[in-house]
Amino acid sequence: MSTHNTSSRSSEILVPPHILALRTYEPGLNPDEIRRQFGLDKVIKLASNENPLGVSPLALERAQESLVNMSRYPAGGLLLRRRLAELFGVQVENVIAGAGSEGIMANIVRTFLCDDDEVLTTEGAFLGFQVLARSRGVAYRTVPYKDWHYDLEALADAISPRTKLIYLANPNNPTGSFFTRQAFERFHGRVPERVLIILDEAYYELAMVEQSYPDSLHYRFDNVITLRTFSKAYGLASARIGYGFAHEDLITVLLKVKLPFEPSGPAEAAALGALEDRDFMLRSVANNSKGLAYFASSLRELGFNVPPSAANFVMIPLANDSDAEQVFQSLLQRGVIVRPLVATGLPACLRVSVGTPEENECFIRALQEVRQEMESLSYASVD
Ligand SMILES: Cc1ncc(COP(=O)(O)O)c(C=O)c1O
């Protein structure tokens, strides 16, 4: 047995510096723990962009039915790929299924990146992608937001001979902003063919209510991989099931690299059930749209200047890091868990997920109290 000191020395020897530099992912806080810690009756969690309506009963039923086959290895998501191909009018060769869209992202990073390549994205990009790219040990470059939107012009300007992968989330996490088809096409015209673009559409179903939100299946390019998920509008975050569309040559290489038995059988069955339950998905979309509209007007009334969101959360920029921390802690004491964005690289911002109407009202009431309590708080004011 080695001593603690010996093992920490050996980890320095064994672990590459880019892995040592990573921070362990901290999930949203657990409501039961917060309830106990602050002696509260009720705690609501609006921190992880989950579906506040839960899961479709049909998805649950299909997952339960599939459990009897737990002793068998699954078939790599083939049934789901076929169903998605049918639904979206593409060939099965253009579809991949995996353990969440992050699982597919991990395979993209493993498949396409070599040591000397460079990844390009925005500052404060979706944390899951940051971790995946940084853990590959390649150069990670970013350009600043422009008004909390992707600066696609600056991103195109930043492409270098080493750039291999560009990551864009539409709508974006954590800002909630989205870009139009014209903006993307203009950008794409400046991206060399040797550069792969991940177009992460995790919030696609929720964003489709926006008239100018573009469905990337309507503008296909050979160097673009679209990623989507069952974690949001379909309420299957814990099942770990997502999918992607791309040119068959890209899907073929991804299928070579992916773990053969991913996604799991129950996850695939749940996803197939979720696709049958369009009503549940549409109710989720309607609840989200109402919640976003309520957040936008209430936050404006409270004097917060919040970027418009097409996802299932809003981002609240505060004046500085300590205001953000103070608001986060004060909300916690009132039984509302939101998301600090320190790890994402935006320490002066908080992110709040849309909940049920009651949860949304509870959050706004708590924020109102916090605002009154912190009279001196200098939040970003409405223009
Ligand atoms: C932009 C974005 N992409 C991907 C994911 C993760 O999706 P999945 O649960 O399918 O891995 C999230 C989840 O928050 C997200 O915000």
Side-chain angles (χ1 to χ4, degrees):
M1 276 278 280
S2 57
T3 66
H4 176 73
N5 281 344
T6 315
S7 77
S8 76
R9 257 204 315 276
S10 67
S11 74
E12 276 172 30
I13 299 164
L14 292 172
V15 184
H18 61 273
I19 301 292
L20 278 177
L22 295 174
R23 287 206 272 191
T24 308
Y25 180 75
E26 284 179 34
L29 296 173
N30 180 319
D32 286 335
E33 276 172 28
I34 299 302
R35 192 177 307 131
R36 272 196 301 276
Q37 189 180 335
F38 293 100
L40 297 162
D41 293 333
K42 194 176 158 214
V43 170
I44 58 169
K45 182 184 170 204
L46 301 176
S48 300
N49 303 344
E50 294 152 342
N51 190 327
L53 303 190
V55 55
S56 138
L58 206 52
L60 206 55
E61 200 179 305
R62 294 286 180 269
Q64 274 161 350
E65 284 164 7
S66 80
L67 294 180
V68 290
N69 293 320
M70 204 109 99
S71 59
R72 305 274 180 204
Y73 284 108
L78 187 59
L79 287 180
L80 180 60
R81 290 174 61 212
R82 283 192 186 133
R83 184 71 194 113
L84 288 166
E86 221 169 71
L87 268 178
F88 288 97
V90 295
Q91 301 300 309
V92 68
E93 291 79 12
N94 299 117
V95 189
I96 190 163
S101 52
E102 250 188 279
I104 304 174
M105 245 185 262
N107 289 326
I108 295 172
V109 164
R110 285 204 297 149
T111 305
F112 295 100
L113 291 180
C114 298
D115 292 352
D116 293 333
D117 289 340
E118 169 189 281
V119 163
L120 185 61
T121 186
T122 182
E123 69 170 317
F126 167 54
L127 184 57
F129 177 74
Q130 290 194 43
V131 172
L132 284 171
R134 293 184 202 278
S135 67
R136 179 60 187 78
V138 295
Y140 182 88
R141 282 181 55 219
T142 61
V143 302
Y145 283 118
K146 190 174 171 186
D147 224 0
W148 297 121
H149 286 68
Y150 279 101
D151 188 343
L152 292 174
E153 288 295 313
L155 269 167
D157 290 341
I159 295 171
S160 82
R162 284 176 62 192
T163 306
K164 179 64 176 288
L165 179 64
I166 297 179
Y167 172 79
L168 306 174
N170 201 31
N172 182 42
N173 180 1
T175 60
S177 59
F178 72 90
F179 47 80
T180 62
R181 175 175 177 164
Q182 287 105 308
F184 179 80
E185 285 181 340
R186 222 174 18 248
F187 167 74
H188 185 266
R190 298 189 57 199
V191 179
E193 270 177 41
R194 60 171 173 81
V195 178
L196 184 67
I197 301 174
I198 296 181
L199 203 44
D200 181 342
E201 294 181 341
Y203 302 94
Y204 150 80
E205 296 85 356
L206 304 168
M208 282 298 280
V209 296
E210 296 279 347
Q211 264 193 351
S212 52
Y213 174 74
D215 173 346
S216 68
L217 282 194
H218 297 154
Y219 55 105
R220 296 303 314 151
F221 296 101
D222 289 353
N223 60 341
V224 176
I225 300 183
T226 292
L227 295 182
R228 292 186 185 166
T229 183
F230 286 91
S231 298
K232 309 296 175 184
Y234 292 101
L236 290 175
S238 180
R240 310 307 306 130
I241 181 96
Y243 58 101
F245 298 112
H247 188 279
E248 49 273 27
D249 292 352
L250 300 186
I251 296 293
T252 303
V253 287
L254 282 172
L255 289 174
K256 289 184 194 173
V257 171
K258 94 183 232 313
L259 298 179
F261 303 122
E262 171 195 311
S264 77
E268 182 180 24
L272 286 165
L275 289 174
E276 282 180 62
D277 196 348
R278 215 174 141 67
D279 276 1
F280 175 84
M281 192 270 278
L282 293 176
R283 263 190 291 124
S284 302
V285 174
N287 177 71
N288 192 63
S289 301
K290 260 176 40 198
L292 282 178
Y294 171 71
F295 275 178
S297 60
S298 312
L299 289 166
R300 202 177 312 118
E301 269 171 39
L302 286 177
F304 292 95
N305 191 6
V306 172
S309 172
N312 65 356
F313 51 81
V314 288
M315 188 182 81
I316 307 180
L318 282 299
N320 53 50
D321 306 7
S322 70
D323 280 2
E325 171 62 17
Q326 209 174 336
V327 172
F328 169 71
Q329 291 296 342
S330 303
L331 286 170
L332 209 55
Q333 284 161 21
R334 288 168 173 78
V336 181
I337 307 173
V338 300
R339 187 67 145 183
L341 295 175
V342 180
T344 302
L346 300 171
C349 299
L350 298 174
R351 195 192 64 199
V352 188
S353 308
V354 172
T356 60
E358 300 73 42
E359 288 172 332
N360 299 338
E361 281 169 26
C362 191
F363 157 66
I364 292 293
R365 267 198 310 274
L367 187 64
Q368 200 162 15
E369 281 176 27
V370 172
R371 185 184 173 285
Q372 278 160 4
E373 191 185 79
M374 298 165 67
E375 279 293 48
S376 61
L377 178 71
S378 50
Y379 48 83
S381 60
V382 183
D383 296 329

